[in-house]
């Protein structure tokens, strides 16, 4: 049964690989010749292929897959750690491989008679065997002489080429238009601290005001988020919560909540709360708060799942109930890591506190965005330098504290 | 009436469909010192954990003082567990906590959830903790972190934790397998002393020589079934080979 699964999954993997290589290759060709997003004036011509053409493409992919699997190990076989060997465990001969290749065309029809040992393996007198332990069979061929090595190389190369095209990388403007950003750089190295303590009459906020606001946004979100994530994390730990059907439901719901709310970045949360509670630092800290709960909750839960189960067993055996077990066998084991995660989260929140301002989160970020919109690069420079110094100090301090507790 | 009765106990682990115990029946008198022996994987740990239902039996019945444990609600089972102490091969202490905190955990079942969550124990329990630590000779280590102790000392803390429960039954799962021979005997002597004070003891031991030295009666398990139940003297060479396999040699733990 195990080998059937390996066969099926590695086959699907190979199929995906070659389909991707072929389709990606065509796409690359199209991007280069017919559809050039960086030349919007050119008309886009959609690719066309007759039904027969499509059938041939699919067939071609299948042939390549079967071929690489026979003369492999193919990338799929390699990833699942198997290869073809002769009956006695030796290296397959060429004729055996060809036999295997042709016979495997009939796989779909005849596989089902004996899934443990499909007929095409019996005819060619080959079988799938786990890869040998590294080192037991000498150095082995270099990667560019192996099927899986070449496949992986093609895969990476194609992905890079496609990525280059699709992200519209444009080295000419990167180099040629560099002078346009010059005044920004100039502003940054000639920072203006005019409003360091005195509030800017227009925004009614000094740099320090903004900084303090951001610091407290991050602090509030971290403390409140940790307070909520702490109890939730036990519900999201399989070894604590997932007992019985109700336990499984609670566990799955909690984990689902963590995953969904974590996937939505703080910036989007800030946009949502900016509409909900209005622009300003409150929206920003709510965004950080929600994201902190989900992110820390997940980290905490995983930590709880990795505790030593021994003390849990022992405390349960004394007649303690679940809450007591958590308090006396689990919490002492995870407290240092929980603290470290919280401090780490505080670092992130401080940085995010500036970004959420982009969508109306308030704090020091608001200054950056206001000045940027007014093209006052020297003031932007001042704010950024102040912020960098703060982050640098915080990083240093929190790293020092974390080292001390774990 | 026997203290503990086990009837047709069978345990099949869902994961892997492993039959760890099959149709195991025996009974234990009050104050007995029963030793379980058998190769690793023979089901000793599973049997001990079925008795206090850390592992849920698949079928069969278990009676303690005539009460059928296998029928009890989780809540009622927690009440019964208070009277069943347990010590473990790996000691299972909370390593970061102090010895005192580990020992006090033995009283959790007797105290209200709320006060224990706040970390509060009655004065009575603190006094009892001192007594128990004194009995295992570790009174001076009360405020030391558990991971600062040697293996033998950690196991004595484990014993003190079990003593805190004022148990009438003590389950010991290979209590000395992680210890060197000299320490093994010192730990076994503490367990023996508890037995002399009237507590029924069921201990699994890896070495037959230890089993002979401390057990009043021996039950041998093989692949989840009882292959011997009787006095230590009755295990001769043939019986020994049947339990431990043909190649085994009896070794002495001094
Ligand atoms: N939690 C578990 N899940 C699945 N199988 C288990 C589990 N615990 C023990 N087993 C299996 O049950 C059998 C008996 O194990 P155990 O009771 O630990 O034996 P012993 O303590 O004598 O070494 C072994 O085959 C073991 O692999
Ligand atoms: Mg065991």
């Amino acid at each position: 049964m195990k080998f059937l699964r390996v066969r099926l999954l590695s086959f699907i993997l190979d199929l995906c690989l070659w389909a991707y290589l072929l389709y990606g290759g065509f796409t690359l060709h199209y991007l280069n010749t017919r559809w050039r997003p960086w030349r919007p004036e050119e008309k886009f011509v959609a690719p066309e292929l007759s039904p027969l053409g499509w059938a041939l493409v699919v067939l071609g992919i299948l042939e390549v897959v079967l071929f690489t699997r026979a003369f492999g190990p193919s990338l799929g076989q390699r990833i699942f750690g198997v290869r073809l060997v002769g009956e006695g465990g030796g290296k397959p001969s060429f004729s055996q491989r060809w036999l295997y290749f042709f016979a495997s065309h009939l796989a779909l029809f005849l596989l089902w008679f004996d899934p443990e040992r499909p007929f095409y393996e019996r005819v060619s007198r080959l079988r799938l065997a786990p890869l040998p332990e590294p080192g037991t069979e000498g150095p082995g061929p270099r990667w560019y002489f192996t099927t899986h090595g070449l496949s992986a190389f093609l895969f990476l190369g194609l992905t890079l080429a496609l990525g280059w095209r699709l992200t519209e990388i444009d080295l000419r403007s990167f180099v040629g238009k560099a002078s346009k950003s010059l005044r920004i750089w100039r502003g940054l190295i000639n920072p203006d601290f005019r409003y360091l303590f005195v509030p800017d009459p227009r925004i009614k906020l000094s740099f320090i005001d903004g900084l303090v606001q951001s610091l407290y946004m991050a602090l509030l979100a971290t403390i409140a988020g940790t307070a909520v994530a702490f109890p939730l994390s036990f519900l999201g730990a399989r070894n604590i919560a997932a007992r019985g059907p109700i336990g499984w439901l609670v566990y799955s719901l909690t984990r689902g909540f963590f995953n969904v709310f974590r996937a939505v970045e703080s910036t989007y949360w800030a946009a949502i709360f900016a509409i909900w509670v209005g622009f300003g630092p409150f929206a920003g800290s709510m965004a950080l708060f929600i994201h902190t709960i989900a992110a820390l909750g997940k980290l905490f839960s995983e930590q709880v799942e990795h505790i030593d189960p021994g003390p849990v067993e022992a405390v349960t055996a004394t007649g303690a109930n679940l809450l007591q077990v958590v308090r006396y066998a689990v919490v002492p084991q995870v407290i240092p890591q929980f603290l470290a995660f919280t401090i780490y989260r505080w670092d992130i929140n401080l940085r995010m506190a500036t970004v959420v301002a982009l969508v109306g989160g308030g704090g020091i970020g608001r200054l950056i965005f206001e000045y940027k919109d007014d093209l006052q690069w020297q003031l932007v420079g001042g704010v950024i330098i102040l912020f960098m110094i703060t982050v640098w100090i915080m990083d240093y301090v929190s790293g020092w504290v974390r080292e001390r507790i774990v | 009436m026997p203290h503990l009765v086990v009837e047709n106990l069978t345990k099949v682990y869902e994961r892997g469909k492993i039959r760890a115990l099959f149709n195991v029946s025996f009974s234990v008198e009050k104050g007995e010192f029963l030793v379980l022996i058998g190769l690793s994987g023979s089901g000793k740990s599973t049997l001990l954990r079925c008795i206090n239902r850390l592992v849920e039996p698949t079928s069969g019945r278990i009676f303690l003082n005539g009460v059928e444990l296998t029928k009890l609600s989780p809540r009622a089972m927690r009440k019964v567990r208070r009277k069943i102490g347990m010590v473990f091969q790996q000691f299972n202490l909370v390593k970061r906590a102090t010895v005192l905190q580990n020992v006090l955990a033995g009283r959790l079942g007797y105290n209200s959830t709320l006060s224990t969550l706040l970390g509060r124990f009655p004065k009575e329990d603190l006094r009892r903790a001192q007594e128990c630590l004194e009995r295992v000779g570790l009174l001076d280590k009360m405020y030391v972190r558990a991971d600062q102790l040697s293996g033998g000392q950690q196991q004595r803390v484990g014993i003190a934790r079990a003593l805190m429960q004022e148990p009438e039954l003590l389950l010991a799962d290979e209590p000395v397998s992680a210890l060197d021979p000299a320490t093994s005997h010192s730990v076994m002597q503490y367990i023996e002393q508890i037995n002399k004070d009237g507590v029924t003891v069921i201990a699994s031991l890896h070495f037959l020589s230890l089993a002979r030295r401390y057990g009043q009666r021996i039950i041998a398990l093989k692949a989840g079934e009882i292959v011997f139940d009787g006095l230590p003297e009755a295990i001769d060479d043939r019986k020994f080979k049947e339990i431990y396999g043909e190649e085994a040699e009896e070794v002495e733990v001094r």
Side-chain angles (χ1 to χ4, degrees):
Chain A
M1 219 43 219
K2 181 168 164 275
F3 269 134
L4 179 63
R5 217 191 78 222
V6 168
R7 280 196 192 93
L8 202 67
L9 291 181
S10 68
F11 181 77
I12 291 173
L13 210 70
D14 281 331
L15 209 61
C16 293
L17 170 77
W18 288 101
Y20 171 74
L21 286 181
L22 197 79
Y23 185 76
F26 271 129
T27 310
L28 193 62
H29 178 67
Y30 254 87
L31 285 174
N32 282 334
T33 55
R34 307 243 191 128
W35 177 52
R36 293 188 274 188
W38 55 95
R39 293 255 179 86
E41 67 279 7
E42 282 181 25
K43 213 170 113 227
F44 170 63
V45 192
E48 265 171 50
L49 209 56
S50 67
L52 185 67
W54 277 114
L56 278 176
V57 166
V58 172
L59 202 68
I61 294 175
L62 275 172
E63 287 301 316
V64 178
V65 169
L66 291 182
F67 186 81
T68 53
R69 289 173 72 78
F71 288 82
S74 70
L75 195 61
Q77 288 169 330
R78 179 62 236 257
I79 286 175
F80 281 92
V82 291
R83 63 168 183 180
L84 282 176
V85 294
E87 217 112 75
K91 211 169 154 42
S93 72
F94 248 105
S95 54
Q96 276 179 312
R97 287 193 187 274
W98 278 114
L99 207 59
Y100 183 93
F101 172 64
F102 286 121
S104 57
H105 280 75
L106 300 170
L108 274 187
F109 307 107
L110 293 162
L111 174 73
W112 315 115
F113 291 129
D114 183 4
E116 286 303 312
R117 185 133 167 74
F119 89 103
Y120 51 88
E121 288 188 7
R122 255 180 288 139
V123 196
S124 57
R125 287 188 287 113
L126 293 174
R127 63 185 170 82
L128 271 191
L131 289 176
E133 288 290 313
T136 50
E137 279 192 0
R142 298 204 165 256
W143 67 266
Y144 42 82
F145 283 134
T146 61
T147 317
H148 60 266
L150 278 177
S151 312
F153 178 74
L154 281 178
F155 175 82
L156 285 179
L158 180 66
T159 304
L160 269 182
L162 277 175
W164 182 276
R165 278 295 174 232
L166 291 176
T167 52
E168 299 171 25
I169 287 181
D170 186 353
L171 284 181
R172 239 170 316 160
S173 32
F174 186 73
V175 179
K177 299 185 194 163
S179 58
K180 280 196 179 175
S181 65
L182 210 60
R183 54 204 166 97
I184 302 181
W185 299 114
R186 218 178 281 138
L188 294 186
I189 49 176
N190 294 312
D192 181 350
F193 290 106
R194 206 179 326 159
Y195 299 125
L196 184 58
F197 298 110
V198 201
D200 181 329
R202 192 171 53 82
I203 310 176
K204 307 207 166 33
L205 219 57
S206 71
F207 292 3
I208 292 290
D209 292 342
L211 181 67
V212 168
Q213 208 168 45
S214 280
L215 280 174
Y216 275 83
M217 273 165 68
L219 264 181
L220 189 70
T222 311
I223 295 172
T226 307
V228 179
F230 180 78
L232 282 184
S233 67
F234 298 105
L235 302 181
R238 193 191 300 246
N239 52 346
I240 301 300
R243 300 176 183 187
I246 297 176
W248 265 102
L249 189 69
V250 170
Y251 161 76
S252 312
L253 285 179
T254 315
R255 270 306 176 87
F257 162 78
F258 289 160
N259 284 331
V260 170
F261 279 61
R262 210 170 51 101
V264 181
E265 272 297 338
S266 310
T267 322
Y268 300 110
W269 282 117
I272 293 169
F273 282 111
I275 294 167
W276 185 344
V277 301
F279 282 68
F282 179 42
S285 27
M286 277 306 282
L288 296 179
F289 170 63
I290 297 285
H291 200 255
T292 301
I293 295 176
L296 274 188
K298 177 151 178 174
L299 287 174
F300 284 3
S301 297
E302 278 166 2
Q303 203 57 49
V304 171
E305 284 178 352
H306 284 115
I307 56 164
D308 172 10
V312 174
E313 191 178 36
V315 175
T316 308
T318 67
N321 60 35
L322 191 57
L323 276 177
Q324 291 172 322
V325 170
V326 168
R327 162 73 172 80
Y328 282 87
V330 184
V331 171
Q333 289 194 60
V334 294
I335 280 293
Q337 283 91 343
F338 275 25
L339 272 177
F341 281 139
T342 301
I343 291 171
Y344 165 68
R345 187 67 212 180
W346 147 252
D347 275 3
I348 296 180
N349 278 348
L350 183 57
R351 254 169 284 242
M352 286 310 289
T354 60
V355 180
V356 292
L358 177 62
V359 283
I364 198 171
R366 180 160 159 241
L367 294 173
I368 299 182
F369 289 112
E370 295 268 357
Y371 291 142
K372 175 193 75 110
D373 288 346
D374 293 350
L375 307 179
Q376 302 204 28
W377 297 112
Q378 291 185 325
L379 285 171
V380 172
V383 179
I384 287 183
I385 284 172
L386 175 67
F387 185 67
M388 276 192 329
I389 293 172
T390 315
V391 167
W392 181 72
I393 294 173
M394 291 295 167
D395 257 6
Y396 184 80
V397 172
S398 72
W400 183 82
V401 174
R402 243 183 310 166
E403 237 167 60
R404 228 110 296 218
I405 51 176
V406 183
Chain B
M1 184 175 64
H3 193 190
L4 177 80
V5 179
V6 173
E7 266 182 22
N8 304 325
L9 184 66
T10 296
K11 172 66 192 180
V12 180
Y13 283 108
E14 280 309 316
R15 191 160 50 82
K17 294 258 170 277
I18 293 166
R19 200 180 69 179
L21 290 177
F22 182 64
N23 219 13
V24 169
S25 303
F26 63 91
S27 61
V28 187
E29 294 302 326
K30 189 143 190 73
E32 220 178 301
F33 196 126
L34 172 69
V35 171
L36 298 175
I37 58 171
L39 290 172
S40 72
S42 58
K44 305 182 294 293
S45 301
T46 305
L47 175 55
L48 288 170
R49 282 167 176 71
C50 279
I51 293 173
N52 60 4
R53 276 177 61 193
L54 285 182
V55 165
E56 213 46 63
T58 307
S59 67
R61 303 194 294 175
I62 297 168
F63 299 87
L64 186 72
N65 296 320
V67 178
E68 184 174 350
L69 302 187
T70 29
K71 261 200 332 211
L72 293 181
S73 68
R75 192 190 175 82
M77 190 61 219
R78 282 203 297 274
K79 271 216 151 89
V80 173
R81 276 189 193 136
R82 301 186 304 194
K83 288 291 176 192
I84 308 178
M86 191 162 190
V87 292
F88 303 83
Q89 179 175 357
Q90 298 302 335
F91 325 133
N92 291 358
L93 302 181
V94 179
K95 298 212 174 56
R96 299 185 150 276
T98 62
V99 167
L100 178 64
Q101 281 167 319
N102 271 293
V103 172
L104 280 174
R107 292 305 288 179
L108 286 173
Y110 290 98
N111 287 303
S112 85
T113 308
L114 189 63
S115 63
T116 51
L117 284 188
L118 295 174
R120 300 173 64 88
F121 285 88
K123 280 225 166 56
E124 173 69 14
D125 284 348
L126 289 170
R127 197 188 46 73
R128 194 174 275 130
Q130 283 179 349
E131 250 173 52
C132 292
L133 281 172
E134 189 148 27
R135 271 183 76 176
V136 296
L138 287 174
L139 192 53
D140 54 327
K141 304 280 187 204
M142 193 144 104
Y143 298 108
V144 176
R145 256 171 64 149
D147 54 6
Q148 303 292 309
L149 301 182
S150 71
Q153 289 172 327
Q154 290 193 32
Q155 191 59 295
R156 276 144 64 193
V157 175
I159 292 173
R161 175 174 61 192
L163 279 176
M164 286 295 278
Q165 297 173 238
E166 302 184 297
E168 51 183 63
L169 173 63
L170 181 70
L171 307 173
D173 187 11
E174 303 205 25
V176 296
S177 293
L179 306 176
D180 59 60
T183 323
S184 290
H185 278 296
S186 116
V187 166
M188 283 311 295
Q189 274 154 16
Y190 283 110
I191 294 179
E192 192 174 37
Q193 188 54 48
I194 294 169
N195 174 250
K196 289 209 174 102
D197 295 343
V199 176
T200 310
V201 174
I202 306 179
S204 69
L205 291 173
H206 202 72
F207 288 109
L208 185 59
S209 63
L210 282 176
R212 285 192 206 278
R213 159 78 177 75
Y214 295 97
Q216 293 162 5
R217 178 181 149 203
I218 292 181
I219 286 184
L221 288 172
K222 188 173 185 182
E225 293 183 66
I226 294 187
V227 291
F228 175 86
D229 181 350
L231 297 177
E233 300 84 76
I235 299 185
D236 52 19
D237 249 22
R238 204 175 49 75
K239 212 61 207 170
F240 177 80
K241 290 226 150 57
E242 188 187 328
I243 298 166
Y244 286 98
E246 283 304 324
E247 295 89 55
E249 290 288 342
E250 190 166 348
V251 290
E252 190 81 25
V253 176
R254 275 174 231 278

